[in-house]
Amino acid sequence: ETIAQLEKVVTCPDDEVKPIYGICMGNQLMGLAAGGKAEKLPFGNRGQNQPVLNHQTAECYITPQNHGYVINCDTLKPGWKTLFTNANDGSNEGIAHETRPYFTAQFHPEAKCGPNDTAFMFDVFLEACQAPPNKKITFPVRDPPKPP
């Protein structure tokens, strides 16, 4: 029933769209609501130093992870795309809607025990909440400080 309710939310009329940011299990739920199929990983992705590629910016982030399932992006309905990919095993780490402000992360951008490369994602979500309805999510290309 949860997936059915989420399907209703992500297919709502344009004038009712609200930003959605799914993290960890939220990625799995959103992926299923977007028509994707969940598949078990052979060993899972676990640890504090998992590299993830952002398909929008071509940046690589170091992320903390603890999951054993992945959304198969080949099974997503039209209008959805891969947003993040694990650089180690090529598995999906997040999806985004092509025109609506919906995005997900399988990893943990909120984790305080590990890297904070992706903490900015909360700013992106909050900006989407303040933006006009139906504004597509875009990630800034970050300008890291130069080494000393």
Side-chain angles (χ1 to χ4, degrees), residues 20-23 52-59 61 81-84 93-97 100-107 109 117-128 135-143:
I20 301 174
Y21 179 18
I23 299 171
V52 169
L53 301 172
N54 181 329
H55 287 250
Q56 248 189 31
T57 66
E59 293 176 306
Y61 311 129
K81 62 183 179 182
T82 299
L83 180 57
F84 300 113
E93 292 289 345
I95 62 174
H97 195 273
R100 292 183 166 195
Y102 307 153
F103 71 106
T104 70
Q106 181 63 61
F107 49 89
D117 285 14
T118 55
F120 74 93
M121 292 173 65
F122 293 99
D123 295 329
V124 170
F125 176 67
L126 291 174
E127 287 170 12
K135 186 171 185 291
K136 181 179 147 184
I137 295 286
T138 54
F139 288 94
V141 176
R142 299 175 306 145
D143 187 21

Side-chain angles (χ1 to χ4, degrees), residues 63-134:
T63 65
Q65 298 185 19
N66 186 22
H67 62 95
Y69 287 83
V70 65
I71 294 296
N72 179 339
C73 285
D74 293 335
T75 61
L76 293 171
K77 292 177 184 173
W80 292 89
K81 62 183 179 182
T82 299
L83 180 57
F84 300 113
T85 301
N86 187 296
N88 286 336
D89 66 6
S91 63
N92 177 263
E93 292 289 345
I95 62 174
H97 195 273
E98 292 177 351
T99 59
R100 292 183 166 195
Y102 307 153
F103 71 106
T104 70
Q106 181 63 61
F107 49 89
H108 290 273
E110 81 286 5
K112 293 298 180 193
C113 63
N116 60 6
D117 285 14
T118 55
F120 74 93
M121 292 173 65
F122 293 99
D123 295 329
V124 170
F125 176 67
L126 291 174
E127 287 170 12
C129 291
Q130 297 168 350
N134 279 336

